[in-house]
Amino acid sequence: MELSIVFVNWNSVDYLRECISSIYANTRDISFEIIVVDNASPQGGVETLHDQFPEVKIIKSPENVGFAKANNIGFDQSTGSYVLFLNPDTQLLGPTLNIMLQHMKSLPDAGIVGCKMLNTDRTVQITSIQRFPTILNQVLNAECLQLRWPNCPLWSIGPLFSDEAQVVKVEVIPGACMLLRRQVFAQVGKFSEDYFMYAEDLDLNYKLKRAGYTNYYVGETAIVHHGGRSSSRQKVSQWSTTMKYRAMTRYYRKTRGSLYELMYRVTMGCAAVSRLFLLGIAYLFGSSAWDRKSVRFAADKWKAVLKWAVGRQDLAL
């Protein structure tokens, strides 16, 4: 078996069915297996995949063990020389897997190979490549700034907007689409199960860097990632926002120490206060109901961040 494709499913069967269909429609001359780890999805229905794809291996976890552990479970049941961790809410647009695997084979120092990700409307997803997070680039983590200055060294997303087919060394490939050699993934200890969700991909990228590997972005191919848009127009779950920031504090504690973790919490708390103040002004002087709706969605997020920063959400979770 050349390639193992691992999915973690949680209430995403419809997306998953479309993604698997796109894999079979666009992948040629590769022996591959597909493994789906269902994280005790309340909606159920993962067994219906066998009606259309009887060869897919389904592993049902009796409880939601989190994204990192579920991916490790899928990996442990796989046999491919290469492994692709892919989100269910993605869709291949062409021979993406063939192109990524070809480049992986030609790059002996490769840790992770990733590709361009597009939003549902086919605009570029700016999180397709990332720098390792710091307090500064997290405080300034605004889509408008990144699109205005894509080559700024704080985020370095310029390659996403290049018309040239290129393979570029990058710091971070996100967890929505990650291709690795089997032995490399095992060598660095797989995904760290210290994280329930969020930041486990950052942690993996960091471990690969420490082990001497290089991550690569392949700009000549793309996938659609339906759930990946970062926008104030999306309603924000306070629970998921809090889980994300809790995961980031754990990441900073592991990689930079407790003092940096504390500085991050204080800085983001101050940033939340500033954002809420500006959003309040925007709400009062917004020009349309749509603008006000967007402001409310953004305010929900920053309220959750502020509660996390002062410790109120940590007590409730």
Side-chain angles (χ1 to χ4, degrees):
M1 187 66 63
E2 190 169 16
L3 176 65
S4 297
I5 304 169
V6 177
F7 292 97
V8 173
N9 177 64
W10 197 83
N11 290 346
S12 301
V13 172
D14 291 339
Y15 276 129
L16 188 52
R17 186 177 289 109
E18 293 182 6
C19 182
I20 294 174
S21 294
S22 73
I23 291 173
Y24 282 110
N26 292 286
T27 306
R28 298 289 182 269
D29 303 319
I30 297 175
S31 60
F32 64 88
E33 62 180 353
I34 296 176
I35 299 170
V36 176
V37 181
D38 184 73
N39 240 345
S41 300
Q43 294 178 2
V46 70
E47 303 89 349
T48 62
L49 292 173
H50 276 156
D51 297 337
Q52 187 175 355
F53 312 107
E55 65 281 5
V56 170
K57 184 174 184 177
I58 297 175
I59 302 169
K60 297 187 70 175
S61 173
E63 60 181 339
N64 188 344
V65 296
F67 184 78
K69 186 172 183 178
N71 268 315
N72 288 344
I73 290 171
F75 173 78
D76 291 340
Q77 296 296 315
S78 69
T79 60
S81 301
Y82 301 86
V83 59
L84 176 73
F85 297 103
L86 191 61
N87 274 19
D89 59 343
T90 56
Q91 180 183 354
L92 272 64
L93 297 179
T96 300
L97 301 190
N98 293 81
I99 293 171
M100 291 176 65
L101 192 57
Q102 177 185 354
H103 284 294
M104 171 63 83
K105 292 178 178 178
S106 69
L107 297 166
D109 66 332
I112 304 172
V113 168
C115 68
K116 182 179 294 184
M117 295 191 292
L118 305 176
N119 298 304
T120 304
D121 61 4
R122 301 306 194 266
T123 55
V124 174
Q125 201 164 107
I126 61 174
T127 55
S128 299
I129 55 177
Q130 302 167 28
R131 297 293 302 269
F132 281 114
T134 64
I135 291 175
L136 182 57
N137 67 22
Q138 293 302 290
V139 169
L140 298 175
N141 184 24
E143 187 173 348
C144 60
L145 296 179
Q146 292 170 305
L147 291 174
R148 178 64 179 84
W149 295 288
N151 292 309
C152 173
L154 288 175
W155 36 77
S156 299
I157 60 171
L160 296 178
F161 303 98
S162 173
D163 293 329
E164 299 180 6
Q166 55 183 331
V167 177
V168 181
K169 294 180 180 181
V170 297
E171 288 192 350
V172 175
I173 297 292
C177 181
M178 311 172 89
L179 177 65
L180 301 96
R181 290 182 175 87
R182 181 180 198 84
Q183 69 270 24
V184 170
F185 183 65
Q187 175 193 340
V188 297
K190 304 185 286 188
F191 282 111
S192 172
E193 296 177 13
D194 293 339
Y195 306 90
F196 182 80
M197 61 185 297
Y198 301 121
E200 68 287 314
D201 53 350
L202 293 172
D203 188 280
L204 179 62
N205 280 269
Y206 181 80
K207 290 191 295 186
L208 288 163
K209 178 184 177 182
R210 290 283 301 270
Y213 294 100
T214 302
N215 297 327
Y216 290 93
Y217 161 74
V218 176
E220 64 187 279
T221 189
I223 63 171
V224 176
H225 182 206
H226 295 291
R229 175 180 283 281
S230 175
S231 171
S232 60
R233 292 188 174 93
Q234 286 189 317
K235 190 169 184 177
V236 178
S237 162
Q238 291 191 24
W239 182 85
S240 63
T241 297
T242 303
M243 290 297 294
K244 178 179 179 180
Y245 279 86
R246 290 183 70 185
M248 288 304 299
T249 56
R250 184 172 291 112
Y251 169 79
Y252 286 128
R253 190 185 316 134
K254 288 182 64 176
T255 60
R256 292 177 177 267
S258 299
L259 179 58
Y260 199 91
E261 172 202 352
L262 176 61
M263 292 169 58
Y264 172 70
R265 182 186 287 268
V266 171
T267 303
M268 295 310 299
C270 294
V273 172
S274 300
R275 294 285 185 107
L276 288 169
F277 175 76
L278 294 174
L279 288 167
I281 295 175
Y283 184 83
L284 290 174
F285 298 99
S287 59
S288 68
W290 175 254
D291 288 341
R292 288 192 168 189
K293 184 178 180 180
S294 300
V295 169
R296 287 198 300 269
F297 289 166
D300 286 343
K301 169 190 171 181
W302 288 104
K303 286 177 184 177
V305 174
L306 183 58
K307 290 179 180 179
W308 156 81
V310 299
R312 289 181 58 190
Q313 285 283 14
D314 282 347
L315 294 175
L317 291 172

